[in-house]
Amino acid sequence: MRTYDIERYLNIRSAYGASFAPDGERLSFLMDTTGVPQVWTVDEPGAWPEQRTFYEERVTFASWSPENHEVIFGMDKGGNERQQLFRLEPDTGVIDDLTQSPDAKHRWGGWSHDGEQFAFTSNRRDNSVFDVYVQDRDATEADAQLVHEGDGWLTIGGWSPDDSKLIVAEAYSNFDQDVSVLDLATGELTHITPHQGTVRFQSATWGPDGENIYMVSDRASDTLELVRYELDSGEFSLVESGGDYEIEGVGIDEDSRRIVYARNVEGYTELTFGELTAPDEIDAYPEPDLPKGVAGGISFSPDGNRAAVTVTASADTANVYVVDLKTGEAERWTRAATAGIPRDTFVPPELVHYPTFDGRDIPAFFTLPEESPEGETPVIVDIHGGPESQRRPSFSAVKQYFLSRGYAYFEPNVRGSAGYGKAYGHLDDVENRMDSVADIEAAVEWLHDHPAVDPDKIVAMGGSYGGFMVLASMTEYPDLWAAGIDIVGIANFVTFLENTGDWRRELREAEYGSLEDDREFLESISPINNIEKIRAPLFVLHGENDPRVPVSEAHQLVEEAREHAHVRELIFDDEGHGFSKLENRIEAYSQIADFLDEFV
């Protein structure tokens, strides 16, 4: 079989985040053909797309106006996550900077239905909290109207059908949120989800008549369900249950009464489209004819008869499909290139479950390369971040590259991962943090029993919180590993919490423990304080502008670890929390490949 270098794999493209133009004849979407995501448009299935933005920085989203031929998009600088908002006229190429506050973050909140205003939240008044703003479509930063002062992490769920109100969500952690309704005329904020303990209220969206709000919540179950809140009565009702699986999101087209919700079945997405025939009744349409994988980023056409959907699978790149809702037929509108690598060389995973120390079965995706000599196959254990994230069967060029080089890939969803219910998600909270690391040890034990695996060639790799998991696995179980790859990882929970962005600290303390109450425990589990136990070679990569895990985490780790093991360090001065620029990704993964060649 012919092999390709990492540069070729990293030139595989993704197309995603589609939005319908107001005439329903054109889609905007993001694609990374230039090396970073930019705005593109396409007029029909498979047609040649037109690039509309030409920046060296990544574009983070793009949303068509519902009435005017213009798009608002977001972009940050050097990975600093301080997103600014811009208005683009696709046909003329004219771009206006709408926010002009480069030191602040701006979180998109959607267009008003008449296309004359948009909403967003921002921490421009106080770096540690987010406020709600409304701005005219052609106004500048100075004309943005502050309509609500917040005291936490606020996002907007959209405008009511008459544009008089906004849904405002506040997050306290990934497993605890609240939803309120903001009256724009009076400024009154009405809290609609009072609760005790941790309860998720997510994906809140207006019903067709503005009298109801639909959302997913685990208020009455272990898993997320589709529920309706009636504004007049203040009562909740159950619309759909996912059974043993989570309903992870809902979208509604108000004019046509079309609805879509997504069920997360062991990482795979099951989409249901339908029509609201009554507030709690959905007339379901045929199942959409989409590839089996992970689907999202759904945008209804102006008439509500079609929906644009981004779909990715482990063995296929992300592309945008348009679904005819009444028939379920789907057409692929984009053709994200695979850099000349045949699609049939991409290897799909097997969904497995392995036992861990307390008798639970941990779900994971295991992928063997096409050639797996018995007892000779090295394995990369790739640990996701979050920690309330989930490894799902989506496409990864890096994964396919290492598979082509003969590595197997093991991707566990250890306790604390999202997608498996509230109880599972809380199993690693604070004092139970190291139980999730024990799940990694159990994964390696399972791999030792696999006939294809070489037990002396197992690598730990992960980013962000996954980087912590790599370091913790190497300090807690040092004899299991041939090497470790730590990408933008947490080495010291105390200094991480002290130095992370002000707007994130409270959210992270809810998961990890607080500096005030849990400092001693946080010190005890921080890999930096057990670094002398590391024996395997370690490669540490980071971005200089990382606002989440400061680069100081990498520096202090490398300085101390070098006293006990072979350590390499690679810092990118124009990246943040991860690597978005193509040339940096090529350098990073080329060096990772060379590192593994040398030590594994």
Side-chain angles (χ1 to χ4, degrees):
M1 182 185 75
R2 182 179 177 185
T3 59
Y4 304 88
D5 61 23
I6 185 62
E7 184 170 354
R8 180 71 73 88
Y9 276 90
L10 292 178
N11 271 287
I12 294 173
R13 303 309 181 193
S14 298
Y16 58 97
S19 178
F20 271 103
D23 60 8
E25 300 300 321
R26 178 182 290 187
L27 283 177
S28 69
F29 61 97
L30 302 185
M31 189 161 63
D32 53 356
T33 296
T34 61
V36 289
Q38 297 295 303
V39 180
W40 295 68
T41 62
V42 65
D43 295 334
E44 59 182 324
W48 191 264
E50 295 285 344
Q51 186 176 349
R52 302 298 182 177
T53 60
F54 300 85
Y55 294 101
E56 294 182 0
E57 302 290 353
R58 62 181 178 180
V59 173
T60 50
F61 78 91
S63 176
W64 275 101
S65 164
E67 294 291 337
N68 304 306
H69 205 67
E70 59 191 16
V71 172
I72 286 181
F73 67 90
M75 183 171 62
D76 67 358
K77 185 175 182 179
N80 66 7
E81 299 187 11
R82 296 185 178 98
Q83 176 178 263
Q84 306 299 303
L85 304 180
F86 301 83
R87 183 166 59 91
L88 162 69
E89 297 176 5
D91 290 337
T92 66
V94 173
I95 295 177
D96 294 319
D97 185 345
L98 298 174
T99 47
Q100 301 176 16
S101 299
D103 293 330
K105 294 167 67 77
H106 300 82
R107 312 185 78 197
W108 175 241
W111 290 96
S112 61
H113 291 77
D114 62 8
E116 292 302 312
Q117 293 182 301
F118 60 93
F120 61 92
T121 61
S122 178
N123 62 344
R124 59 171 65 165
R125 177 182 62 88
D126 182 335
N127 192 52
S128 63
V129 299
F130 286 80
D131 302 325
V132 179
Y133 292 83
V134 169
Q135 186 170 325
D136 290 345
R137 52 173 285 276
D138 54 357
T140 60
E141 176 269 341
D143 300 315
Q145 181 184 1
L146 173 60
V147 295
H148 174 72
E149 290 191 2
D151 59 4
W153 184 270
L154 301 186
T155 55
I156 295 171
W159 299 69
S160 61
D162 64 0
D163 287 336
S164 67
K165 301 178 179 68
L166 294 172
I167 293 173
V168 179
E170 181 168 5
Y172 312 111
S173 74
N174 286 355
F175 277 88
D176 191 18
Q177 300 92 32
D178 265 321
V179 176
S180 299
V181 174
L182 176 64
D183 188 306
L184 293 174
T186 66
E188 181 181 1
L189 187 74
T190 303
H191 180 204
I192 67 172
T193 56
H195 63 278
Q196 294 182 338
T198 59
V199 180
R200 288 177 288 177
F201 296 96
Q202 298 175 353
S203 191
T205 187
W206 291 97
D209 51 16
E211 297 175 358
N212 300 288
I213 292 176
Y214 293 79
M215 65 189 85
V216 296
S217 177
D218 57 9
R219 60 184 295 275
S221 66
D222 181 60
T223 55
L224 292 171
E225 301 176 314
L226 175 55
V227 300
R228 175 178 64 94
Y229 178 85
E230 186 178 44
L231 290 169
D232 286 344
S233 68
E235 298 294 327
F236 278 97
S237 59
L238 176 65
V239 181
E240 292 287 342
S241 170
D244 293 334
Y245 302 106
E246 308 231 277
I247 295 179
E248 58 186 357
V250 58
I252 294 174
D253 182 69
E254 296 154 11
D255 291 340
S256 66
R257 307 185 70 85
R258 302 294 200 279
I259 186 170
V260 60
Y261 60 88
R263 195 162 168 252
N264 181 340
V265 180
E266 297 265 34
Y268 293 90
T269 304
E270 291 184 357
L271 286 181
T272 298
F273 288 98
E275 183 175 345
L276 281 165
T277 55
D280 292 336
E281 295 180 11
I282 298 173
D283 180 12
Y285 293 143
E287 181 180 352
D289 183 23
L290 293 167
K292 183 181 181 181
V294 183
I298 298 168
S299 171
F300 287 101
S301 64
D303 61 9
N305 291 326
R306 297 173 297 156
V309 185
T310 301
V311 183
T312 175
S314 289
D316 201 3
T317 54
N319 273 289
V320 176
Y321 294 75
V322 173
V323 178
D324 183 300
L325 301 190
K326 291 187 177 181
T327 67
E329 294 179 0
E331 284 188 287
R332 193 172 79 173
W333 273 53
T334 63
R335 294 287 188 272
T338 62
I341 302 174
R343 293 179 187 273
D344 60 9
T345 65
F346 301 145
V347 186
E350 177 187 2
L351 175 64
V352 301
H353 297 81
Y354 65 90
T356 190
F357 67 92
D358 59 358
R360 298 177 193 277
D361 282 338
I362 304 298
F365 292 101
F366 183 49
T367 316
L368 282 168
E370 288 190 359
E371 297 181 7
S372 307
E374 185 170 342
E376 298 180 15
T377 307
V379 183
I380 295 173
V381 179
D382 191 352
I383 311 166
H384 71 68
E388 307 101 328
S389 185
Q390 182 184 21
R391 187 52 53 90
R392 305 185 68 170
S394 55
F395 186 80
S396 166
V398 170
K399 171 182 171 180
Q400 294 297 332
Y401 168 70
F402 281 113
L403 286 167
S404 76
R405 292 173 64 88
Y407 289 88
Y409 229 76
F410 193 85
E411 303 165 280
N413 282 309
V414 298
R415 70 190 63 213
S417 300
Y420 304 96
K422 177 164 48 180
Y424 192 81
H426 283 308
L427 285 175
D428 68 339
D429 287 356
V430 191
E431 67 275 5
N432 297 322
R433 176 69 44 213
M434 302 310 285
D435 286 352
S436 63
V437 183
D439 289 342
I440 299 296
E441 181 200 24
V444 176
E445 291 176 355
W446 184 89
L447 288 168
H448 282 179
D449 292 335
H450 195 284
V453 171
D454 184 337
D456 296 324
K457 294 184 177 182
I458 299 179
V459 178
M461 183 165 73
S464 190
Y465 174 80
F468 157 75
M469 291 289 283
V470 167
L471 298 172
S473 297
M474 295 179 74
T475 54
E476 292 294 308
Y477 309 104
D479 297 331
L480 297 182
W481 307 104
I485 310 294
D486 163 31
I487 303 172
V488 298
I490 301 168
N492 186 329
F493 277 112
V494 172
T495 56
F496 158 67
L497 290 170
E498 288 174 339
N499 296 318
T500 194
D502 293 340
W503 60 86
R504 302 187 71 251
R505 186 170 298 108
E506 187 174 342
L507 284 173
R508 296 295 84 210
E509 286 187 326
E511 166 70 26
Y512 299 135
S514 73
L515 289 170
E516 181 177 353
D517 299 328
D518 304 294
R519 180 180 288 262
E520 184 176 348
F521 171 74
L522 292 170
E523 292 278 13
S524 71
I525 66 169
S526 294
I528 192 74
N529 295 323
N530 299 290
I531 206 71
E532 73 281 355
K533 297 179 181 178
I534 289 183
R535 293 292 176 266
L538 174 65
F539 194 2
V540 178
L541 303 93
H542 219 102
E544 184 71 33
N545 304 319
D546 193 337
R548 302 190 184 196
V549 181
V551 70
S552 55
E553 290 290 296
H555 293 324
Q556 65 172 327
L557 168 68
V558 169
E559 183 178 352
E560 301 219 11
R562 276 180 172 156
E563 298 179 10
H564 310 285
H566 177 87
V567 181
R568 292 184 190 174
E569 183 181 35
L570 179 60
I571 308 295
F572 293 100
D573 60 10
D574 57 348
E575 295 283 9
H577 195 63
F579 313 130
S580 62
K581 294 182 172 63
L582 177 60
E583 63 270 24
N584 293 340
R585 299 185 73 231
I586 290 171
E587 182 178 357
Y589 288 104
S590 294
Q591 291 203 29
I592 289 172
D594 292 343
F595 180 82
L596 294 183
D597 281 349
E598 181 176 351
F599 293 104
V600 181

